[in-house]
Amino acid sequence: SRPKKNDRKREHHERSEKEENVVIEPVIYEDADEPCKGEPFLSEVLRIMDVDAKCKTVKSDEENVMRMVIEGDDTAILIGRRGETLDAIQYLCSLVVNKGEKDYTRVTIDTENYRKKREVALTLLAKRMASKAIRTGRPVKLEPMNPCERRILHYALQNNDKVETVSEGED
């Protein structure tokens, strides 16, 4: 027998409440030994955007990865819709950092712990959509995402033997 409609609604609501109670620990960054060459560029972007914030280069555990953090009051304007503004600033900074360099350095920029919050949200989304695909027996399509976000989704479901994740499109 199937659960009654009200029971299913209650069960869905209880699952949603559990997911909303996820605690996101703030990322603690350790200052890098020296600033990266993208720091002056990023400082200038902040000045032009009239954002009262400071940027700093922080240590990264990964080789050829430069991490920068923007700290200040009300830096949410730098994030934009679903991180699009932050991604654009990060891309431009990456061009500055890699101009004339032999080896490519990946640049990541964060503010207000956005990257960690987005990772948690995408992981929860991936698990919800996997449950939906299993429940309905039909594929579930998600909105277009940048490579980093797609990687998070694939990683979140890599150990789930009941679903397969596939990226579609040219990128």
Side-chain angles (χ1 to χ4, degrees):
S1 75
R2 292 177 32 192
K4 294 179 184 174
K5 189 174 182 178
N6 288 341
D7 289 342
R8 286 193 309 251
K9 280 185 179 179
R10 187 177 324 111
E11 182 180 304
H12 174 74
H13 181 70
E14 288 171 0
R15 271 198 321 265
S16 295
E17 281 184 357
K18 286 179 190 173
E19 290 175 355
E20 289 175 12
N21 289 334
V22 173
V23 176
I24 301 170
E25 294 292 328
V27 178
I28 307 300
Y29 295 104
E30 185 179 337
D31 290 354
D33 297 330
E34 58 186 60
C36 82
K37 74 181 203 181
E39 215 173 282
F41 170 79
L42 188 53
S43 293
E44 183 64 8
V45 168
L46 295 173
R47 188 191 66 73
I48 291 168
M49 291 180 71
D50 199 27
V51 175
D52 186 23
K54 301 282 185 222
C55 65
K56 67 178 182 177
T57 307
V58 295
K59 287 191 177 181
S60 173
D61 296 334
E62 302 170 74
E63 193 173 319
N64 293 331
V65 174
M66 182 59 60
R67 298 181 63 128
M68 298 174 73
V69 177
I70 301 169
E71 297 174 335
D73 296 330
D74 198 30
T75 57
I77 191 170
L78 299 173
I79 297 170
R81 182 178 165 268
R82 292 198 180 119
E84 290 174 351
T85 305
L86 191 60
D87 288 343
I89 293 169
Q90 181 174 286
Y91 173 72
L92 293 172
C93 194
S94 176
L95 292 176
V96 169
V97 167
N98 286 294
K99 184 177 181 178
E101 296 294 326
K102 185 174 67 170
D103 296 324
Y104 179 79
T105 299
R106 185 166 53 99
V107 175
T108 61
I109 299 175
D110 195 11
T111 189
E112 295 187 15
N113 210 26
Y114 173 77
R115 300 284 181 204
K116 184 66 177 176
K117 291 174 187 174
R118 184 72 174 149
E119 180 182 340
V120 169
L122 288 170
T123 300
L124 292 173
L125 173 68
K127 291 177 181 177
R128 268 197 324 273
M129 294 300 108
S131 295
K132 181 178 179 180
I134 293 166
R135 188 175 63 251
T136 64
R138 301 177 73 180
V140 176
K141 286 192 175 190
L142 301 175
E143 66 198 33
M145 296 179 189
N146 67 41
C148 182
E149 291 182 340
R150 287 195 306 271
R151 200 174 305 118
I152 292 167
L153 289 171
H154 291 300
Y155 182 76
L157 298 175
Q158 73 180 0
N159 294 324
N160 188 332
D161 297 334
K162 296 178 182 178
V163 295
E164 177 183 6
T165 61
V166 178
S167 293
E168 294 179 345
E170 294 180 25
D171 294 330

